[in-house]
């Protein structure tokens, strides 16, 4: 039911983006310049930009990435049209969506790949037609995209891992660690995995086992962790999980087994993760404001349609890249960093009746 509702939301957002684009186009002045609410005439004034997201396993793409990217694009270019699609975790579907966008004459293609290796074909096809490609959130290592926008994924892995290790040392924890990685077809997950492993290998704690979670699916992560609980009874000091979905699944596995939940990491600062942190079920997450990357991608896309080439602040896999540094969130700083006025999450959303007492104790709300 949740998956169906997210697919419905994806369709609504796609139609909304195109409808908004049509409305903006209708405000253009007779001389070709855009009306109020967007850039004036000149190169790129009526460009088409494809925004192709990977899956519905995470709620972020429908709730935040797509609307934020579209809003910034409309701010920069009132006459521009955003063609938004979500592949629902299907690499073949995403390839078809890219082909459809190219057939519709897009000027720039922004893609968060389901499968980083398979996306190389999309990059080659688009560039062969003179269409710039921006890799978004997840890199495409096999070919050089025209630009890459993301948070520093290797640093994310290192940060959540070291945060957990420091906590385990401070509490004199005993036992070993489980490492729950992301999708094996996601290059960003590979970078997060590398960062987590660097923290684990230097921690002094034994790595009991690790798992690459197919398509980031929480149910598969939960099933694997359940098996490890049986294999290492009482011997798991903590779980280094690559995102909030796999972290929440790990926590669910311990609760289902009826044993104490050890400290568990996360990443993405989802609403449910914030609630788990406040309640004490999850140890940390990563705050990486999606608005930052969504707006940076929109700005880069608009530069390309105007014939400009953004430089970024580094180079990754041979691609000019704009990487941002995230923030580790624990119960200690959640009120300062993540929840409350002007922050990514609203206190009214996080501190529902179930979490009211925990929020008060944590100074949230």
């Amino acid at each position: 039911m949740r998956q169906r509702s997210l697919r419905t939301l994806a369709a609504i957002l796609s139609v909304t983006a195109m409808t908004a684009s049509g409305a903006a186009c209708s405000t253009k002045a007779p001389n070709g310049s855009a009306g109020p609410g967007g850039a004036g005439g000149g190169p790129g004034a009526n460009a088409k930009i494809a925004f192709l997201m990977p899956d519905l396993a995470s709620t972020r793409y429908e709730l935040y990435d797509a609307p934020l990217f579209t809003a910034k694009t409309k701010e920069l270019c009132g006459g521009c049209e955003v063609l938004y699609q979500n592949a629902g975790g299907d690499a073949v579907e995403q390839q078809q969506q890219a082909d459809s966008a190219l057939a519709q004459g897009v000027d720039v293609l922004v893609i968060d790949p389901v499968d980083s290796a398979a996306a190389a074909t999309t990059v080659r096809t688009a560039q062969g037609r003179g269409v710039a490609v921006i890799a978004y959130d997840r890199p495409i290592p096999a070919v050089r995209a025209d630009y890459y926008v993301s948070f520093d994924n290797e640093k994310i892995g290192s940060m959540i891992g070291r945060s957990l290790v420091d906590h385990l040392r401070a509490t004199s924890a005993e036992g070993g660690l489980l490492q729950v990685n992301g999708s094996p077809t996601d290059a960003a997950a590979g970078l997060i995995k590398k960062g987590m492993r660097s923290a684990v290998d230097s921690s002094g704690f034994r790595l009991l086992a690790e798992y690459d979670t197919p398509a980031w699916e929480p149910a598969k992560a939960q099933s694997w962790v359940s098996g490890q609980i049986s294999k290492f009874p009482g011997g798991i000091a903590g779980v280094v999980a690559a995102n909030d979905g796999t972290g929440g699944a790990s926590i669910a596995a311990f609760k289902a087994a009826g044993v104490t939940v050890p400290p568990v990491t996360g990443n993405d600062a989802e609403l449910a993760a914030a609630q788990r942190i406040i309640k004490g079920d999850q140890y940390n997450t990563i705050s990486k404001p999606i608005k930052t990357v969504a707006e940076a991608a929109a700005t880069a896309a608009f530069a390309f349609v105007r014939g400009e080439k953004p430089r970024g602040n580094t180079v990754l896999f041979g691609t000019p890249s704009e990487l941002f540094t995230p923030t580790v969130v624990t119960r200690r700083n959640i009120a300062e960093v993540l929840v409350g006025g002007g922050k990514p999450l609203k206190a009214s959303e996080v501190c529902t009746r179930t979490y009211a007492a925990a929020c008060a104790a944590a100074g949230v709300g």
Side-chain angles (χ1 to χ4, degrees), residues 9 17 24-25 87-88 94 121 135 163 172 185 219 237 275 306 319 350 358 362:
L9 180 54
C25 288
Q94 188 169 61
T121 299
S163 170
S172 302
T185 65
Q275 292 173 327
R306 291 176 65 87
T319 299
V350 176

Side-chain angles (χ1 to χ4, degrees), residues 37-116:
N46 299 291
K48 290 182 180 180
I49 301 171
F51 191 67
L52 308 181
M53 295 296 99
D55 59 61
L56 299 166
S58 173
T59 60
R60 56 169 281 190
Y61 301 112
E62 313 309 316
L63 297 178
Y64 304 110
D65 295 80
L68 288 168
F69 178 87
T70 300
K72 184 63 177 180
T73 299
K74 302 310 296 182
E75 175 189 321
L76 294 168
C77 176
C80 287
E81 180 180 2
V82 175
L83 306 181
Y84 169 64
Q85 294 289 332
N86 189 302
D90 187 331
V92 174
E93 175 69 17
Q94 188 169 61
Q95 179 64 61
Q96 293 172 347
Q97 291 172 350
D99 290 343
S100 175
L102 291 171
Q104 294 178 67
V106 296
D107 300 276
V108 179
L109 193 150
V110 182
I111 182 169
D112 190 340
V114 174
D115 184 320
S116 296

Side-chain angles (χ1 to χ4, degrees), residues 147-152 292-293 295-297 299-300 310-316 319-324:
Y147 202 62
Y148 175 47
V149 177
S150 183
F151 282 90
D152 188 329
T292 300
V293 288
E295 293 192 346
T299 300
R311 293 185 177 183
N313 54 23
T314 189
V315 175
L316 188 66
T319 299
S321 303
E322 191 171 4
L323 302 183
F324 299 93

Side-chain angles (χ1 to χ4, degrees), residues 137-357:
D137 192 39
R138 303 172 181 176
I140 305 173
V143 295
R144 293 184 179 182
D146 294 279
Y147 202 62
Y148 175 47
V149 177
S150 183
F151 282 90
D152 188 329
N153 288 295
E154 185 173 340
K155 184 171 287 187
I156 285 172
S158 175
M159 291 171 71
I160 59 177
R162 293 188 188 285
S163 170
L164 177 69
V165 167
D166 289 346
H167 174 68
L168 294 177
R169 287 174 176 167
T171 55
S172 302
E174 296 181 355
L177 302 176
L178 298 180
Q179 183 169 321
V180 186
N181 305 312
S183 171
T185 65
D186 176 354
L191 293 170
I192 294 171
K193 175 181 178 178
K194 182 179 179 182
M196 293 194 302
R197 192 61 183 270
S198 71
V200 170
D201 286 348
S202 61
S203 69
F205 290 92
R206 176 189 170 200
L207 177 61
L208 300 174
E210 68 175 316
Y211 177 66
D212 293 339
T213 309
W216 292 92
E217 291 186 19
K220 292 181 179 179
Q222 182 174 342
S223 177
W224 180 80
V225 172
S226 294
Q228 304 312 302
I229 294 170
S230 299
K231 187 175 181 179
F232 303 104
I236 302 172
V239 179
V240 190
N243 75 343
D244 290 331
T246 55
S250 300
I251 292 166
F254 282 95
K255 290 190 172 185
V259 298
T260 301
V261 179
V264 177
T265 71
N267 163 35
D268 283 338
E270 293 183 350
L271 174 61
Q275 292 173 327
R276 289 193 296 267
I277 288 172
I278 288 171
K279 191 177 178 181
D281 288 336
Q282 183 170 321
Y283 179 65
N284 70 21
T285 188
I286 286 284
S287 175
K288 45 182 187 182
I290 294 169
K291 184 176 182 179
T292 300
V293 288
E295 293 192 346
T299 300
F302 186 54
F304 277 116
V305 300
R306 291 176 65 87
E308 303 165 3
K309 292 185 178 181
R311 293 185 177 183
N313 54 23
T314 189
V315 175
L316 188 66
F317 301 118
T319 299
S321 303
E322 191 171 4
L323 302 183
F324 299 93
T325 300
T327 304
V328 175
V329 179
T330 66
R331 199 166 185 269
R332 288 184 178 182
N333 69 345
I334 194 167
E336 176 186 349
V337 174
L338 190 60
V339 182
K343 301 181 184 71
L345 297 177
K346 296 179 181 179
S348 59
E349 296 173 330
V350 176
C351 300
T352 59
R353 181 175 300 179
T354 301
Y355 298 95

Side-chain angles (χ1 to χ4, degrees), residues 23-47:
C25 288
S26 68
T27 64
K28 289 168 59 179
N31 63 2
S33 62
N46 299 291

